[in-house]
Amino acid sequence: MHIAEGFLPPLHAAAWTVAAAPFVVHGARAVVRERRERPETTLLLAAAGAFTFVLSAIKLPSVTGSSSHPTGTGLGATLFRPPVMAFLSTVVLLFQALLLAHGGLTTLGANVFSMGVVGPWAGYAAWRLLCGRHRGLAIFTAFALADLATYCTTSVQLGLAFPDPVSGIAGGVVKFLGVFALTQVPLAVVEGLLGVLVLRLLADVAGPELARLGIVPTTPPSEAVTR
Amino acid sequence: MRRRRTTFLLLLGIVALVAIALVLGRGADTDEKAFVGTDSRATSLVEQNHPHYVAWFQPLFRPQSPEVESGLFALQAALGGATVGYAVAALRARRRLEAALAAAREEAR
């Protein structure tokens, strides 16, 4: 989902930067507020940011013969609501743009919009819709959708900037979807399964914190400490 | 027991999906280089359909070789992994302290 440096026309690059900027500022404030109001969850916040850091460094092979990387934004989006991920994703994308020539400064806005805004909100929406019915399924869908929605957004961004010479913008979007979306489906499933694993681990070690965040039902303190 | 089995099945699912992709993807690609990143495929698609487009900005820093690049990627993963590990360990220690504190209170009563 990293649009390469210079690979969006200046107007598009500027427009996506303007579109992403308020989300990032709001996200940074959300991180500060979270740390002030619920300091005991700071460790989980760090884990959520670090999770994205790890996953976006790992490129996995897919059945299409391409490789691609998961985004890992589902964790922070479900635990802390999506705004924090706009900020944390910007940190990750800046690291990769500056040190790895992966993505870029001119395309940072577009990349933040797909990975830090659309992906987390899509994942969070899935979590909210399903968490009342089946917690595991909700986590799986949230993680998978946060991943897949990011790549679909990238396809739309590239399709808008580079319409197909014959079939126009719609054709361009479809072509980029052909590159990104199909490859991403198995990876999104992997990310969904990983999400269920991570949440099971966190439920073991961070029960009270997850209860405060409203992720697991509140357990009586006596039960929480006997573990 | 059931918990362990679920964990095992989840891990198995992840490994199996990646393994299946490695096997199936090998045949799907006609290029000489298999498992090219989707990001560079998208860039190639732009260059192919819009040959006159010139990237108007270059990365300020580019890793000089694939070795340097993979090293930096490994650094990224290591930093993230270390932080996740630290957070989980610290949370576990927090639970232990709480339990010890609760036990001490019980004794004092």
Side-chain angles (χ1 to χ4, degrees):
Chain A
M1 45 67 59
H2 298 82
I3 301 177
E5 183 75 284
F7 268 86
L8 275 182
L11 197 65
H12 286 255
W16 287 113
T17 305
V18 170
F23 287 96
V24 178
V25 174
H26 178 226
R29 295 176 62 128
V31 169
V32 172
R33 192 178 335 115
E34 188 67 45
R35 292 206 51 190
R36 196 179 50 223
E37 285 173 10
R38 291 185 286 207
E40 74 279 14
T41 62
T42 301
L43 279 171
L44 282 179
L45 191 61
F51 187 66
T52 293
F53 218 61
V54 180
L55 286 203
S56 58
I58 298 172
K59 288 186 193 154
L60 293 170
S62 178
V63 285
T64 53
S66 303
S67 63
S68 194
H69 60 83
T71 61
T73 53
L75 182 61
T78 44
L79 295 191
F80 295 99
R81 299 187 71 254
V84 298
M85 286 323 291
F87 175 72
L88 295 175
S89 300
T90 308
V91 175
V92 176
L93 288 167
L94 254 180
F95 180 93
Q96 295 187 315
L98 291 175
L99 285 179
L100 294 158
H102 222 68
L105 296 176
T106 60
T107 51
L108 185 66
N111 291 335
V112 166
F113 200 86
S114 61
M115 180 175 155
V117 179
V118 179
W121 277 103
Y124 181 69
W127 159 253
R128 287 304 298 266
L129 271 176
L130 296 169
C131 68
R133 268 178 234 166
H134 190 287
R135 212 160 284 276
L137 181 72
I139 289 292
F140 174 84
T141 318
F143 275 65
L145 216 62
D147 178 326
L148 201 58
T150 299
Y151 281 82
C152 292
T153 308
T154 305
S155 307
V156 172
Q157 289 169 331
L158 283 169
L160 284 171
F162 300 102
D164 190 68
V166 187
S167 48
I169 288 179
V173 173
V174 170
K175 273 200 172 167
F176 286 109
L177 277 172
V179 171
F180 285 118
L182 216 57
T183 300
Q184 208 60 31
V185 170
L187 298 192
V189 174
V190 168
E191 189 164 351
L193 294 177
L194 187 64
V196 178
L197 265 177
V198 168
L199 256 292
R200 285 160 58 89
L201 171 70
L202 289 182
D204 266 3
V205 298
E209 287 82 2
L210 289 181
R212 267 215 82 182
L213 292 168
I215 303 298
V216 297
T218 339
T219 45
S222 59
E223 202 177 303
V225 289
T226 46
R227 263 210 59 85
Chain B
M1 234 19 234
R2 204 169 149 255
R3 264 190 67 83
R4 279 214 181 148
R5 205 182 57 190
T6 314
T7 307
F8 176 73
L9 285 178
L10 283 166
L11 278 170
L12 190 72
I14 292 171
V15 173
L17 273 168
V18 176
I20 291 169
L22 266 174
V23 175
L24 288 183
R26 207 172 36 185
D29 203 33
T30 45
D31 300 357
E32 65 267 43
K33 269 176 79 184
F35 298 118
V36 172
T38 47
D39 292 338
S40 32
R41 270 186 210 280
T43 311
S44 314
L45 189 60
V46 170
E47 282 165 345
Q48 192 185 317
N49 286 344
H50 299 262
H52 300 298
Y53 185 80
V54 184
W56 56 282
F57 200 81
Q58 292 300 319
L60 302 174
F61 166 81
R62 192 184 280 282
Q64 285 83 358
S65 75
E67 286 75 16
V68 175
E69 188 184 350
S70 66
L72 286 167
F73 266 115
L75 177 70
Q76 188 192 332
L79 285 174
T83 310
V84 172
Y86 174 81
V88 169
L91 284 164
R92 188 158 292 224
R94 191 182 281 176
R95 295 291 89 81
R96 286 235 180 95
L97 274 175
E98 281 171 1
L101 204 64
R105 277 212 194 104
E106 197 73 20
E107 224 162 89
R109 213 180 276 167

